[in-house]
PDB file of all heavy atoms in Angstrom:
ATOM      1  N   LEU A  91      16.436   3.619  -6.841  1.00 97.00           N
ATOM      2  CA  LEU A  91      15.300   4.520  -6.627  1.00 97.00           C
ATOM      3  C   LEU A  91      15.356   5.699  -7.593  1.00 97.00           C
ATOM      4  O   LEU A  91      14.352   6.060  -8.198  1.00 97.00           O
ATOM      5  CB  LEU A  91      15.264   5.016  -5.180  1.00 97.00           C
ATOM      6  CG  LEU A  91      14.138   6.006  -4.854  1.00 97.00           C
ATOM      7  CD1 LEU A  91      12.767   5.436  -5.188  1.00 97.00           C
ATOM      8  CD2 LEU A  91      14.223   6.427  -3.394  1.00 97.00           C
ATOM      9  N   HIS A  92      16.540   6.281  -7.758  1.00 96.00           N
ATOM     10  CA  HIS A  92      16.669   7.410  -8.686  1.00 96.00           C
ATOM     11  C   HIS A  92      16.368   6.972 -10.125  1.00 96.00           C
ATOM     12  O   HIS A  92      15.770   7.731 -10.894  1.00 96.00           O
ATOM     13  CB  HIS A  92      18.048   8.060  -8.572  1.00 96.00           C
ATOM     14  CG  HIS A  92      18.176   8.928  -7.362  1.00 96.00           C
ATOM     15  ND1 HIS A  92      17.487  10.111  -7.207  1.00 96.00           N
ATOM     16  CD2 HIS A  92      18.904   8.765  -6.223  1.00 96.00           C
ATOM     17  CE1 HIS A  92      17.785  10.643  -6.044  1.00 96.00           C
ATOM     18  NE2 HIS A  92      18.644   9.841  -5.422  1.00 96.00           N
ATOM     19  N   ALA A  93      16.766   5.760 -10.472  1.00 96.00           N
ATOM     20  CA  ALA A  93      16.453   5.247 -11.816  1.00 96.00           C
ATOM     21  C   ALA A  93      14.941   5.100 -11.979  1.00 96.00           C
ATOM     22  O   ALA A  93      14.383   5.449 -13.024  1.00 96.00           O
ATOM     23  CB  ALA A  93      17.152   3.914 -12.055  1.00 96.00           C
ATOM     24  N   TRP A  94      14.259   4.596 -10.948  1.00 97.00           N
ATOM     25  CA  TRP A  94      12.802   4.458 -11.008  1.00 97.00           C
ATOM     26  C   TRP A  94      12.137   5.826 -11.136  1.00 97.00           C
ATOM     27  O   TRP A  94      11.170   5.987 -11.880  1.00 97.00           O
ATOM     28  CB  TRP A  94      12.277   3.767  -9.763  1.00 97.00           C
ATOM     29  CG  TRP A  94      12.598   2.308  -9.651  1.00 97.00           C
ATOM     30  CD1 TRP A  94      13.256   1.529 -10.565  1.00 97.00           C
ATOM     31  CD2 TRP A  94      12.293   1.463  -8.554  1.00 97.00           C
ATOM     32  NE1 TRP A  94      13.366   0.244 -10.099  1.00 97.00           N
ATOM     33  CE2 TRP A  94      12.784   0.176  -8.865  1.00 97.00           C
ATOM     34  CE3 TRP A  94      11.660   1.659  -7.331  1.00 97.00           C
ATOM     35  CZ2 TRP A  94      12.640  -0.907  -7.996  1.00 97.00           C
ATOM     36  CZ3 TRP A  94      11.526   0.586  -6.478  1.00 97.00           C
ATOM     37  CH2 TRP A  94      12.005  -0.684  -6.806  1.00 97.00           C
ATOM     38  N   ILE A  95      12.660   6.802 -10.415  1.00 96.00           N
ATOM     39  CA  ILE A  95      12.112   8.164 -10.485  1.00 96.00           C
ATOM     40  C   ILE A  95      12.357   8.739 -11.875  1.00 96.00           C
ATOM     41  O   ILE A  95      11.452   9.332 -12.475  1.00 96.00           O
ATOM     42  CB  ILE A  95      12.709   9.051  -9.379  1.00 96.00           C
ATOM     43  CG1 ILE A  95      12.229   8.578  -8.005  1.00 96.00           C
ATOM     44  CG2 ILE A  95      12.343  10.520  -9.612  1.00 96.00           C
ATOM     45  CD1 ILE A  95      12.973   9.187  -6.822  1.00 96.00           C
ATOM     46  N   ASP A  96      13.559   8.551 -12.413  1.00 96.00           N
ATOM     47  CA  ASP A  96      13.885   9.066 -13.748  1.00 96.00           C
ATOM     48  C   ASP A  96      12.998   8.472 -14.834  1.00 96.00           C
ATOM     49  O   ASP A  96      12.655   9.149 -15.796  1.00 96.00           O
ATOM     50  CB  ASP A  96      15.363   8.796 -14.091  1.00 96.00           C
ATOM     51  CG  ASP A  96      16.320   9.629 -13.258  1.00 96.00           C
ATOM     52  OD1 ASP A  96      15.878  10.621 -12.634  1.00 96.00           O
ATOM     53  OD2 ASP A  96      17.518   9.273 -13.212  1.00 96.00           O
ATOM     54  N   THR A  97      12.638   7.201 -14.682  1.00 95.00           N
ATOM     55  CA  THR A  97      11.783   6.549 -15.692  1.00 95.00           C
ATOM     56  C   THR A  97      10.303   6.793 -15.442  1.00 95.00           C
ATOM     57  O   THR A  97       9.474   6.418 -16.257  1.00 95.00           O
ATOM     58  CB  THR A  97      12.026   5.026 -15.729  1.00 95.00           C
ATOM     59  OG1 THR A  97      11.740   4.475 -14.446  1.00 95.00           O
ATOM     60  CG2 THR A  97      13.433   4.683 -16.160  1.00 95.00           C
ATOM     61  N   GLY A  98       9.974   7.395 -14.284  1.00 94.00           N
ATOM     62  CA  GLY A  98       8.576   7.666 -13.970  1.00 94.00           C
ATOM     63  C   GLY A  98       7.854   6.486 -13.341  1.00 94.00           C
ATOM     64  O   GLY A  98       6.638   6.499 -13.201  1.00 94.00           O
ATOM     65  N   TRP A  99       8.602   5.452 -12.944  1.00 96.00           N
ATOM     66  CA  TRP A  99       7.966   4.299 -12.303  1.00 96.00           C
ATOM     67  C   TRP A  99       7.464   4.653 -10.913  1.00 96.00           C
ATOM     68  O   TRP A  99       6.479   4.111 -10.450  1.00 96.00           O
ATOM     69  CB  TRP A  99       8.943   3.134 -12.213  1.00 96.00           C
ATOM     70  CG  TRP A  99       9.288   2.515 -13.534  1.00 96.00           C
ATOM     71  CD1 TRP A  99       8.883   2.930 -14.770  1.00 96.00           C
ATOM     72  CD2 TRP A  99      10.106   1.375 -13.747  1.00 96.00           C
ATOM     73  NE1 TRP A  99       9.409   2.115 -15.736  1.00 96.00           N
ATOM     74  CE2 TRP A  99      10.172   1.141 -15.129  1.00 96.00           C
ATOM     75  CE3 TRP A  99      10.805   0.529 -12.895  1.00 96.00           C
ATOM     76  CZ2 TRP A  99      10.886   0.098 -15.691  1.00 96.00           C
ATOM     77  CZ3 TRP A  99      11.525  -0.511 -13.452  1.00 96.00           C
ATOM     78  CH2 TRP A  99      11.558  -0.733 -14.841  1.00 96.00           C
ATOM     79  N   VAL A 100       8.173   5.557 -10.248  1.00 97.00           N
ATOM     80  CA  VAL A 100       7.768   6.075  -8.943  1.00 97.00           C
ATOM     81  C   VAL A 100       7.862   7.590  -9.042  1.00 97.00           C
ATOM     82  O   VAL A 100       8.862   8.124  -9.526  1.00 97.00           O
ATOM     83  CB  VAL A 100       8.686   5.553  -7.807  1.00 97.00           C
ATOM     84  CG1 VAL A 100       8.327   6.195  -6.481  1.00 97.00           C
ATOM     85  CG2 VAL A 100       8.629   4.037  -7.704  1.00 97.00           C
ATOM     86  N   ILE A 101       6.815   8.269  -8.612  1.00 95.00           N
ATOM     87  CA  ILE A 101       6.786   9.736  -8.711  1.00 95.00           C
ATOM     88  C   ILE A 101       6.556  10.315  -7.318  1.00 95.00           C
ATOM     89  O   ILE A 101       5.427  10.357  -6.831  1.00 95.00           O
ATOM     90  CB  ILE A 101       5.685  10.208  -9.688  1.00 95.00           C
ATOM     91  CG1 ILE A 101       5.923   9.577 -11.060  1.00 95.00           C
ATOM     92  CG2 ILE A 101       5.661  11.731  -9.770  1.00 95.00           C
ATOM     93  CD1 ILE A 101       4.791   9.783 -12.038  1.00 95.00           C
ATOM     94  N   PRO A 102       7.638  10.733  -6.660  1.00 96.00           N
ATOM     95  CA  PRO A 102       7.484  11.293  -5.317  1.00 96.00           C
ATOM     96  C   PRO A 102       6.908  12.699  -5.371  1.00 96.00           C
ATOM     97  O   PRO A 102       6.959  13.373  -6.402  1.00 96.00           O
ATOM     98  CB  PRO A 102       8.920  11.315  -4.785  1.00 96.00           C
ATOM     99  CG  PRO A 102       9.768  11.451  -6.005  1.00 96.00           C
ATOM    100  CD  PRO A 102       9.024  10.719  -7.102  1.00 96.00           C
ATOM    101  N   ASP A 103       6.363  13.112  -4.234  1.00 95.00           N
ATOM    102  CA  ASP A 103       5.976  14.513  -4.084  1.00 95.00           C
ATOM    103  C   ASP A 103       7.245  15.273  -3.747  1.00 95.00           C
ATOM    104  O   ASP A 103       8.135  14.746  -3.090  1.00 95.00           O
ATOM    105  CB  ASP A 103       4.956  14.672  -2.958  1.00 95.00           C
ATOM    106  CG  ASP A 103       3.630  14.008  -3.280  1.00 95.00           C
ATOM    107  OD1 ASP A 103       3.236  14.005  -4.464  1.00 95.00           O
ATOM    108  OD2 ASP A 103       2.988  13.475  -2.354  1.00 95.00           O
ATOM    109  N   GLU A 104       7.331  16.503  -4.224  1.00 92.00           N
ATOM    110  CA  GLU A 104       8.503  17.318  -3.904  1.00 92.00           C
ATOM    111  C   GLU A 104       8.046  18.634  -3.293  1.00 92.00           C
ATOM    112  O   GLU A 104       7.240  19.341  -3.864  1.00 92.00           O
ATOM    113  CB  GLU A 104       9.337  17.587  -5.156  1.00 92.00           C
ATOM    114  CG  GLU A 104      10.148  16.391  -5.589  1.00 92.00           C
ATOM    115  CD  GLU A 104      11.238  16.751  -6.583  1.00 92.00           C
ATOM    116  OE1 GLU A 104      12.070  17.618  -6.270  1.00 92.00           O
ATOM    117  OE2 GLU A 104      11.219  16.148  -7.670  1.00 92.00           O
ATOM    118  N   THR A 105       8.583  18.903  -2.096  1.00 86.00           N
ATOM    119  CA  THR A 105       8.319  20.170  -1.427  1.00 86.00           C
ATOM    120  C   THR A 105       9.623  20.709  -0.889  1.00 86.00           C
ATOM    121  O   THR A 105      10.354  19.986  -0.212  1.00 86.00           O
ATOM    122  CB  THR A 105       7.341  19.986  -0.237  1.00 86.00           C
ATOM    123  OG1 THR A 105       6.945  18.639  -0.106  1.00 86.00           O
ATOM    124  CG2 THR A 105       6.139  20.866  -0.356  1.00 86.00           C
ATOM    125  N   GLU A 106       9.873  21.941  -1.243  1.00 86.00           N
ATOM    126  CA  GLU A 106      11.091  22.619  -0.789  1.00 86.00           C
ATOM    127  C   GLU A 106      12.335  21.775  -1.067  1.00 86.00           C
ATOM    128  O   GLU A 106      13.226  21.647  -0.228  1.00 86.00           O
ATOM    129  CB  GLU A 106      10.982  22.952   0.696  1.00 86.00           C
ATOM    130  CG  GLU A 106       9.838  23.889   1.018  1.00 86.00           C
ATOM    131  CD  GLU A 106       9.674  24.098   2.516  1.00 86.00           C
ATOM    132  OE1 GLU A 106      10.562  23.686   3.299  1.00 86.00           O
ATOM    133  OE2 GLU A 106       8.655  24.693   2.889  1.00 86.00           O
ATOM    134  N   GLY A 107      12.365  21.143  -2.240  1.00 87.00           N
ATOM    135  CA  GLY A 107      13.518  20.363  -2.635  1.00 87.00           C
ATOM    136  C   GLY A 107      13.634  18.997  -1.980  1.00 87.00           C
ATOM    137  O   GLY A 107      14.611  18.290  -2.191  1.00 87.00           O
ATOM    138  N   ARG A 108      12.656  18.625  -1.168  1.00 93.00           N
ATOM    139  CA  ARG A 108      12.662  17.325  -0.487  1.00 93.00           C
ATOM    140  C   ARG A 108      11.654  16.393  -1.140  1.00 93.00           C
ATOM    141  O   ARG A 108      10.517  16.779  -1.394  1.00 93.00           O
ATOM    142  CB  ARG A 108      12.273  17.481   0.980  1.00 93.00           C
ATOM    143  CG  ARG A 108      13.384  17.853   1.878  1.00 93.00           C
ATOM    144  CD  ARG A 108      12.989  17.830   3.363  1.00 93.00           C
ATOM    145  NE  ARG A 108      11.761  17.139   3.671  1.00 93.00           N
ATOM    146  CZ  ARG A 108      10.699  17.714   4.232  1.00 93.00           C
ATOM    147  NH1 ARG A 108      10.697  18.985   4.517  1.00 93.00           N
ATOM    148  NH2 ARG A 108       9.635  17.010   4.507  1.00 93.00           N
ATOM    149  N   MET A 109      12.085  15.170  -1.369  1.00 94.00           N
ATOM    150  CA  MET A 109      11.180  14.166  -1.909  1.00 94.00           C
ATOM    151  C   MET A 109      10.504  13.440  -0.764  1.00 94.00           C
ATOM    152  O   MET A 109      11.155  13.050   0.203  1.00 94.00           O
ATOM    153  CB  MET A 109      11.939  13.154  -2.772  1.00 94.00           C
ATOM    154  CG  MET A 109      12.387  13.706  -4.096  1.00 94.00           C
ATOM    155  SD  MET A 109      13.068  12.405  -5.139  1.00 94.00           S
ATOM    156  CE  MET A 109      14.763  12.428  -4.600  1.00 94.00           C
ATOM    157  N   THR A 110       9.185  13.279  -0.895  1.00 96.00           N
ATOM    158  CA  THR A 110       8.442  12.473   0.069  1.00 96.00           C
ATOM    159  C   THR A 110       7.626  11.441  -0.699  1.00 96.00           C
ATOM    160  O   THR A 110       7.270  11.637  -1.859  1.00 96.00           O
ATOM    161  CB  THR A 110       7.513  13.336   0.944  1.00 96.00           C
ATOM    162  OG1 THR A 110       6.656  14.104   0.106  1.00 96.00           O
ATOM    163  CG2 THR A 110       8.310  14.258   1.851  1.00 96.00           C
ATOM    164  N   PHE A 111       7.360  10.342  -0.035  1.00 97.00           N
ATOM    165  CA  PHE A 111       6.682   9.217  -0.667  1.00 97.00           C
ATOM    166  C   PHE A 111       5.457   8.829   0.148  1.00 97.00           C
ATOM    167  O   PHE A 111       5.389   9.056   1.349  1.00 97.00           O
ATOM    168  CB  PHE A 111       7.641   8.022  -0.756  1.00 97.00           C
ATOM    169  CG  PHE A 111       8.856   8.311  -1.597  1.00 97.00           C
ATOM    170  CD1 PHE A 111       9.966   8.944  -1.049  1.00 97.00           C
ATOM    171  CD2 PHE A 111       8.891   7.964  -2.936  1.00 97.00           C
ATOM    172  CE1 PHE A 111      11.089   9.220  -1.813  1.00 97.00           C
ATOM    173  CE2 PHE A 111      10.007   8.235  -3.712  1.00 97.00           C
ATOM    174  CZ  PHE A 111      11.103   8.865  -3.146  1.00 97.00           C
ATOM    175  N   ARG A 112       4.490   8.204  -0.545  1.00 96.00           N
ATOM    176  CA  ARG A 112       3.252   7.761   0.082  1.00 96.00           C
ATOM    177  C   ARG A 112       3.249   6.237   0.196  1.00 96.00           C
ATOM    178  O   ARG A 112       4.068   5.556  -0.400  1.00 96.00           O
ATOM    179  CB  ARG A 112       2.052   8.211  -0.766  1.00 96.00           C
ATOM    180  CG  ARG A 112       1.959   9.732  -0.897  1.00 96.00           C
ATOM    181  CD  ARG A 112       1.061  10.147  -2.025  1.00 96.00           C
ATOM    182  NE  ARG A 112       1.763   9.794  -3.272  1.00 96.00           N
ATOM    183  CZ  ARG A 112       1.168   9.538  -4.424  1.00 96.00           C
ATOM    184  NH1 ARG A 112      -0.122   9.576  -4.522  1.00 96.00           N
ATOM    185  NH2 ARG A 112       1.860   9.237  -5.488  1.00 96.00           N
TER     186      ARG A 112
END
Side-chain angles (χ1 to χ4, degrees):
L91 178 56
H92 283 292
W94 289 357
I95 292 168
D96 291 344
T97 59
W99 291 4
V100 175
I101 303 171
D103 293 326
E104 284 195 56
T105 0
E106 298 175 11
R108 276 187 15 241
M109 287 188 273
T110 55
F111 298 84
R112 299 163 290 154

